[in-house]
Amino acid sequence: MNRILKKRLPREIKKHFWRWLALFLMTALGMAVVVSVVGGAENMIRGSRTCAEENQVEDGEFTTIQPLTKEQEGHLRQQGVILEQKFSTDIKQEDGSALRFMSNRAEINLIAVDEGRTAEKRGEVLLEKRYCEEHDYAVGDRIRVLGREFEIVGIGSSPDYDLPVRNFSDMSAESFSFGTAFVTAGQYEDLSGEVNGTMPENGIQGGESYTYAYILSGGAIHDVVKDEVKNLTTAFTTAEDNPRILAAAGDMVLNRTVGLLAGGVVIALFAYIISVFIIHQINREASVIGTLYALGVKKRNLLRHYITLPAAISLLGGVSGLVLGFSEIGMVWQMKEAYGYFSVPAFDRIYPAYLIIYGVLLPPVISVLINFLVINRQLSRTALSLIRNERKTVGLCKMNLKSGSFTRNFCIRQMLRELRTSVGVAVGMFVSMMIFMLGLNCLVLCRNVGIDSRNSVKFEYMYTGKFPEESIPEGGEACLLQPLSITKFGYTLDVSLMGITENSRFFDARPADSKNSIIIGSSLATKYGLAKGDILVLYDKAGSQEYKFTVEGICDYSVGFTAFMEIGCMRELFGKSDGEYNVLLTERALETDENCLYYSTTTRSDIERSSAVFVEMMAPMVRMLLTVSVIVFFVVMYLMTGVMIDRAGFGISLVKIFGFRQKEVRTLYLRGITITVAAGAALCIPLSKAATDAIYPWAVANVACGMNLHFRWYYYPLIFAGVMGIYFLSGALLSRKINRITPTEVLKARE
């Protein structure tokens, strides 16, 4: 009997070739997207970690006010600490970008050279790869720095600038505006000597930064380093809290997790759709099945038969999707997007064993499970019930419709009869709408970040100084900046606590005269759902100190994560002297002299460029999500609506015998579907929006930006119109199917 049943499978495929092909392509497409996203993420995660280990990435770093003495360095090394200077100087280029010059590394954060070599003599420089890509530099080119030319002898990256941002608090990397450069120790001494005491208009972006990298050995711990330098540092950061280190790996962990979970959900949806087709097939063949039962055929044989084809299609779809996901247009394309943002070397491609197992086994396993649960019930009926083709009528179908036209009542009953299929349509719509909303939310968030950042910045220049003046320059506003951090959703992000005056010209915040309360920026509030009266816990990385603040209010400021406190209270809280400040805000460029050095300058245009990077960076992902969601929705709509029409074939044939015209028949059988789709869209659009809004803070937990996911009002009617447009397109194609049903179907179905 099994041999006989197997012969039916090719005939079934031939009879419904386009249906099975569509299901195969859906499974393959879904798995290809999952494998490309997860495979690309796994490659970046493993590659980044291996590269960091091979190049001796630091365990932490700290920045001092003045260079350590030889005795201080020696004492740290005696504690089991490997220490290396990574002093740096930012130098502005003619195109407005800034290069952070450092000397070659010997022990820690070694340079990974992609092309060429490291600098070996004066006049040579190795440039960071992303900066070279943005400026179209190649090995052998020359670059002008402070009036002299340097030959680019190498292009590469360093593990401590995996995310090439200038400041820890920067929301995104903008490699056209910032990059790193490595020269010989002697060349760096020449540059840093020229920097100190030089006017900014001569190209200096800021003073020299005295930063040390360290690796713990011999059982040493971070606290040893902290205790030794706690009175000397302006910043202390461990590798785990450094947003530049292993940034690609950290960013891709979420992609991997979400991709695996989303893949399971999508495959389950496809398996359910297949089960609807199988149930329809069983109902169509009920009399034959009943006869086989009467002849002694076991249920398990038929169960195996009806599960075989869906499992085979799912297996082939999964394997095809796996191959496509690992191809150049899948995983490799996903990795190119990461390479175009993070500064990492090109990694050897890997094909994770767990992902191969996932792609090959998950689709057929889920298909077998779902189809077994659904089909088993259908095949558990008695032989007599199947021979008579008895169908259980849904209780709702029996409701008494006393009023309304025949067409209205007929459509209502038809909707109730196809309740199971309607649920499938609604579920498919919700899943595809979730995918769509993930992409649209990403686009909206990126654009809103840029708009909010531009609108909330009122200063033109922000100077961060090491040695503040006794008197504030004319036109400037003094602030006190204290870098703190917040840990949420498993990630630690920087928060800038800003001490300001109560009549600040550049911020809308008006903090109270209290050391225990703060006003937070809108980006921090929307990211973590904070409101007035909440308790916010922040940490001082350098001293491991915990600070608990009461949120006094929320102000309109969306650049990174920022909180505000009255400057006098902040000086008292952090033990600063009266009049001390380290940030100066101005409306025009500051004319400084050699007695006032600033090691960091941020302009309004820098913030605007940085915020605009989000849209460009996420555009490929947005396009992929939107495209996949539209394809999935169209295929689900076409297949499920086609099932409804197939199930109604006898009724359509009958009403044609009664003289109903083609247009009237389409109205009777498609109007109910139209109402179902319209009602489902009206429900699924806001539900999917609410669901994606809820998970988005977790999905982008590693990005220091607000969660302004607000849609403009007209987005909703446009999305609804798009859903109905796709439905009407599938309906137009299915109208031909209705037209092909003839009155002879009644004769074929007679008992």
Side-chain angles (χ1 to χ4, degrees):
M1 179 54 67
N2 289 333
R3 188 180 306 170
I4 296 174
L5 291 175
K6 287 179 182 178
K7 292 181 179 180
R8 297 185 72 247
L9 297 178
R11 291 198 296 269
E12 173 63 24
I13 294 175
K14 183 178 180 180
K15 183 177 181 180
H16 300 288
F17 175 77
W18 295 109
R19 175 185 297 171
W20 290 110
L21 178 63
L23 291 169
F24 164 78
L25 293 176
M26 265 206 317
T27 304
L29 176 62
M31 189 53 63
V33 172
V34 172
V35 170
S36 63
V37 171
V38 177
E42 192 66 50
N43 273 265
M44 296 303 296
I45 292 169
R46 295 189 189 183
S48 295
R49 290 174 178 170
T50 301
C51 179
E53 183 178 351
E54 291 176 348
N55 290 288
Q56 301 294 312
V57 69
E58 65 187 48
D59 288 328
E61 65 179 52
F62 57 88
T63 302
T64 59
I65 299 173
Q66 292 287 354
L68 299 178
T69 64
K70 292 188 179 296
E71 290 77 13
Q72 290 170 328
E73 290 188 17
H75 192 266
L76 277 170
R77 292 190 174 96
Q78 290 175 3
Q79 305 296 317
V81 178
I82 301 173
L83 192 68
E84 185 173 14
Q85 295 179 355
K86 64 170 192 178
F87 295 176
S88 64
T89 298
D90 291 0
I91 299 179
K92 190 174 182 179
Q93 301 303 106
E94 294 178 355
D95 59 8
S97 64
L99 275 174
R100 178 163 293 171
F101 277 82
M102 293 174 276
S103 61
N104 294 329
R105 279 81 180 274
E107 295 182 276
I108 305 175
N109 298 322
L110 304 179
I111 302 168
V113 181
D114 283 17
E115 301 177 47
R117 57 176 174 82
T118 57
E120 297 175 353
K121 59 184 179 180
R122 283 178 167 82
E124 295 182 343
V125 63
L126 179 144
L127 290 183
E128 182 263 317
K129 62 183 300 181
R130 285 291 299 121
Y131 185 86
C132 290
E133 291 169 0
E134 292 293 332
H135 292 263
D136 199 24
Y137 285 136
V139 173
D141 291 348
R142 306 190 73 82
I143 184 172
R144 195 169 185 82
V145 179
L146 295 179
R148 70 186 72 169
E149 286 193 344
F150 284 75
E151 181 185 359
I152 302 173
V153 296
I155 296 173
S157 58
S158 59
D160 56 328
Y161 279 87
D162 193 357
L163 179 66
V165 292
R166 185 176 177 185
N167 304 305
F168 287 162
S169 58
D170 289 348
M171 293 183 295
S172 63
E174 213 289 276
S175 292
F176 181 86
S177 301
F178 174 79
T180 55
F182 299 91
V183 294
T184 63
Q187 181 71 77
Y188 178 76
E189 289 179 4
D190 294 344
L191 289 172
S192 60
E194 190 170 343
V195 165
N196 291 321
T198 306
M199 303 282 280
E201 57 266 25
N202 290 335
I204 306 305
Q205 190 74 14
E208 186 176 11
S209 175
Y210 305 120
T211 301
Y212 294 81
Y214 67 85
I215 292 178
L216 301 173
S217 64
I221 58 176
H222 290 294
D223 289 342
V224 171
V225 184
K226 289 181 181 179
D227 292 341
E228 290 292 331
V229 300
K230 62 182 179 181
N231 297 322
L232 306 171
T233 59
T234 61
F236 185 97
T237 307
T238 63
E240 291 78 11
D241 295 333
N242 191 331
R244 297 187 185 120
I245 295 176
L246 290 177
D251 186 67
M252 294 298 164
V253 166
L254 285 173
N255 288 7
R256 180 177 63 184
T257 303
V258 173
L260 291 173
L261 293 175
V265 173
V266 172
I267 295 301
L269 168 66
F270 296 161
Y272 178 77
I273 293 173
I274 292 175
S275 72
V276 172
F277 295 137
I278 299 300
I279 290 173
H280 172 53
Q281 182 181 356
I282 291 173
N283 289 333
R284 193 175 64 241
E285 300 172 350
S287 58
V288 176
I289 295 172
T291 304
L292 291 175
Y293 276 174
L295 293 173
V297 176
K298 302 296 184 181
K299 184 180 74 172
R300 63 174 179 271
N301 295 329
L302 291 174
L303 189 61
R304 187 186 306 116
H305 169 70
Y306 283 110
I307 287 178
T308 297
L309 188 54
I313 293 296
S314 299
L315 176 63
L316 292 175
V319 172
S320 301
L322 183 69
V323 173
L324 186 62
F326 280 149
S327 69
E328 294 292 327
I329 62 174
M331 182 177 72
V332 178
W333 179 76
Q334 288 289 335
M335 293 174 66
K336 285 181 180 178
E337 298 302 318
Y339 285 136
Y341 183 69
F342 297 102
S343 182
V344 293
F347 304 128
D348 294 333
R349 201 181 307 173
I350 62 171
Y351 303 95
Y354 79 88
L355 191 56
I356 295 175
I357 296 173
Y358 180 96
V360 173
L361 295 184
L362 184 69
V365 167
I366 291 181
S367 177
V368 169
L369 289 176
I370 292 179
N371 279 281
F372 175 82
L373 294 174
V374 175
I375 297 172
N376 183 62
R377 183 179 178 184
Q378 295 293 318
L379 293 178
S380 297
R381 293 155 57 188
T382 65
L384 184 59
S385 173
L386 289 165
I387 291 174
R388 291 178 175 177
N389 200 10
E390 296 175 352
R391 299 188 185 182
K392 184 178 179 180
T393 304
V394 179
L396 293 175
C397 295
K398 301 177 182 179
M399 68 169 57
N400 187 14
L401 302 175
K402 296 181 179 179
S403 61
S405 64
F406 169 78
T407 302
R408 169 184 171 276
N409 293 342
F410 186 94
C411 291
I412 292 175
R413 293 193 185 279
Q414 179 64 18
M415 290 168 56
L416 297 175
R417 279 191 292 266
E418 297 296 339
L419 191 59
R420 180 195 297 272
T421 311
S422 297
V423 171
V425 171
V427 173
M429 185 187 302
F430 181 74
V431 171
S432 58
M433 194 58 64
M434 282 285 291
I435 300 173
F436 183 85
M437 285 296 179
L438 284 172
L440 190 58
N441 258 2
C442 182
L443 178 62
V444 168
L445 175 62
C446 293
R447 288 181 174 174
N448 286 346
V449 165
I451 294 171
D452 293 344
S453 297
R454 289 193 297 270
N455 292 341
S456 60
V457 175
K458 298 180 180 179
F459 57 82
E460 292 295 331
Y461 295 88
M462 174 188 286
Y463 299 93
T464 306
K466 292 196 299 183
F467 302 109
E469 296 177 334
E470 294 181 0
S471 60
I472 301 173
E474 183 179 355
E477 181 176 309
C479 302
L480 183 63
L481 176 64
Q482 178 66 34
L484 298 175
S485 63
I486 183 172
T487 301
K488 293 279 188 179
F489 307 125
Y491 288 89
T492 299
L493 301 177
D494 289 321
V495 176
S496 299
L497 183 58
M498 187 82 73
I500 62 175
T501 59
E502 59 179 339
N503 57 350
S504 172
R505 292 181 291 123
F506 300 107
F507 302 108
D508 295 330
R510 297 294 179 263
D513 188 9
S514 171
K515 296 187 296 183
N516 300 316
S517 64
I518 56 175
I519 292 178
I520 61 175
S522 52
S523 59
L524 186 58
T526 57
K527 177 77 170 187
Y528 299 119
L530 298 171
K532 183 177 180 180
D534 289 347
I535 301 298
L536 179 62
V537 180
L538 302 177
Y539 300 89
D540 180 1
K541 294 180 182 179
S544 299
Q545 179 69 42
E546 178 184 287
Y547 299 93
K548 290 185 178 180
F549 299 103
T550 300
V551 178
E552 176 188 342
I554 300 171
C555 69
D556 182 18
Y557 192 73
S558 301
V559 181
F561 288 165
T562 309
F564 301 93
M565 178 182 286
E566 199 279 323
I567 190 168
C569 296
M570 187 167 166
R571 287 168 180 154
E572 183 180 352
L573 178 63
F574 292 98
K576 306 296 183 181
S577 60
D578 292 341
E580 183 175 347
Y581 67 94
N582 55 12
V583 170
L584 189 66
L585 306 177
T586 66
E587 294 174 336
R588 59 180 182 275
L590 189 65
E591 296 181 2
T592 61
D593 56 31
E594 60 184 3
N595 296 319
C596 182
L597 294 177
Y598 294 92
Y599 62 78
S600 175
T601 304
T602 302
T603 66
R604 181 188 179 94
S605 58
D606 292 336
I607 295 173
E608 292 177 351
R609 283 198 304 268
S610 178
S611 59
V613 170
F614 277 109
V615 176
E616 180 181 352
M617 178 180 66
M618 299 305 298
M621 179 66 74
V622 170
R623 286 195 294 267
M624 182 190 72
L625 290 173
L626 298 183
T627 302
V628 169
S629 66
V630 170
I631 293 174
V632 169
F633 178 66
F634 176 79
V635 174
V636 170
M637 186 63 58
Y638 181 83
L639 292 177
M640 300 300 276
T641 306
V643 168
M644 292 182 184
I645 293 174
D646 286 343
R647 288 164 60 90
F650 179 85
I652 294 173
S653 176
L654 195 61
V655 296
K656 285 186 176 181
I657 290 177
F658 290 153
F660 284 81
R661 294 184 294 272
Q662 296 284 12
K663 182 178 180 181
E664 293 171 329
V665 174
R666 288 195 297 269
T667 300
L668 290 174
Y669 285 93
L670 290 181
R671 178 180 292 179
I673 302 175
T674 304
I675 295 173
T676 300
V677 173
L683 182 63
C684 288
I685 291 173
L687 280 180
S688 60
K689 170 61 175 171
T692 51
D693 284 359
I695 66 175
Y696 236 77
W698 175 80
V700 292
N702 59 325
V703 182
C705 69
M707 288 290 105
N708 184 355
L709 299 167
H710 176 69
F711 277 7
R712 293 184 174 89
W713 68 268
Y714 55 81
Y715 279 27
Y716 294 99
L718 285 177
I719 296 172
F720 182 84
V723 169
M724 298 309 296
I726 294 174
Y727 163 70
F728 286 126
L729 175 61
S730 65
L733 296 175
L734 289 169
S735 292
R736 295 181 300 175
K737 191 169 188 176
I738 294 177
N739 295 339
R740 289 196 299 267
I741 297 176
T742 64
T744 58
E745 295 293 330
V746 175
L747 297 176
K748 293 179 182 179
R750 74 185 185 278
E751 294 185 2

